[in-house]
Amino acid sequence: MKKKDNSEYSQALSFLYAFLESISNALDVERNDLDGILEVNLDKNSYDILIFDNVPGGAGHIKRLMSKEAIMKCLRGALKKVSQNCCDEDTSCYNCLRNYYNQTKHSYLKRGLAKEIINKIIETIEIGVNE
Ligand SMILES: [Zn+2]
């Protein structure tokens, strides 16, 4: 994800929360047991997304994501989540990206931006192109 302005941050963050929701569904793990952060990657001028087990010692949930199939399943689930007509694409709601834990970031979460990047990522993985 290229980092240019606020909308890039917004997109990365929107993706992160769509993805986390979907991982929690796909792996049947409590949403609260997972968390993620964005880190600015200065070399690539983009954001890295880190997803981790949010429990002491780690529960090993994230390890179950280590296959292309599992990742694709989560991406498709995330896409479905942000493709509902629950709210305007320029915003987000509790049906798609918002939850209690990310309330400080609600203003950045935009359903349309998440949809756009998830589509791109799925496309890239399917074609098998890496950067
Ligand atoms: Zn919504």
Side-chain angles (χ1 to χ4, degrees):
M1 262 159 263
K2 295 271 183 232
K3 179 182 153 286
K4 282 182 229 130
D5 51 39
N6 237 359
S7 79
E8 303 291 341
Y9 173 72
S10 214
Q11 183 159 52
L13 207 58
S14 300
F15 169 77
L16 172 66
Y17 286 113
F19 200 44
L20 281 170
E21 281 293 332
S22 182
I23 293 170
S24 124
N25 271 330
L27 301 184
D28 198 19
V29 174
E30 292 288 329
R31 171 59 184 83
N32 199 25
D33 284 354
L34 303 169
D35 211 349
I37 51 167
L38 292 181
E39 281 196 344
V40 178
N41 183 324
L42 293 173
D43 290 339
K44 291 185 182 169
N45 194 30
S46 66
Y47 288 105
D48 288 340
I49 287 175
L50 303 181
I51 289 171
F52 49 87
D53 291 311
N54 192 25
V55 278
H61 299 313
I62 297 305
K63 280 188 191 144
R64 288 154 63 198
L65 266 185
M66 291 297 148
S67 76
K68 189 177 159 187
E69 287 71 30
I71 299 271
M72 280 307 269
K73 189 180 172 193
C74 293
L75 285 169
R76 291 215 173 86
L79 184 61
K80 204 171 157 191
K81 191 96 184 154
V82 295
S83 298
Q84 321 167 81
N85 284 317
C86 50
C87 55
D88 195 273
E89 291 208 352
D90 286 340
T91 179
S92 57
C93 68
Y94 280 86
N95 278 316
C96 52
L97 298 174
R98 296 186 183 197
N99 62 44
Y100 174 79
Y101 307 102
N102 63 24
Q103 42 186 331
T104 56
K105 291 158 189 146
H106 283 177
S107 61
Y108 291 107
L109 301 179
K110 294 175 182 169
R111 189 167 64 82
L113 288 177
K115 198 162 112 181
E116 183 188 288
I117 192 71
I118 295 167
N119 269 318
K120 267 189 210 163
I121 294 170
I122 289 178
E123 212 171 274
T124 305
I125 294 176
E126 279 175 344
I127 300 167
V129 176
N130 292 312
E131 308 237 343

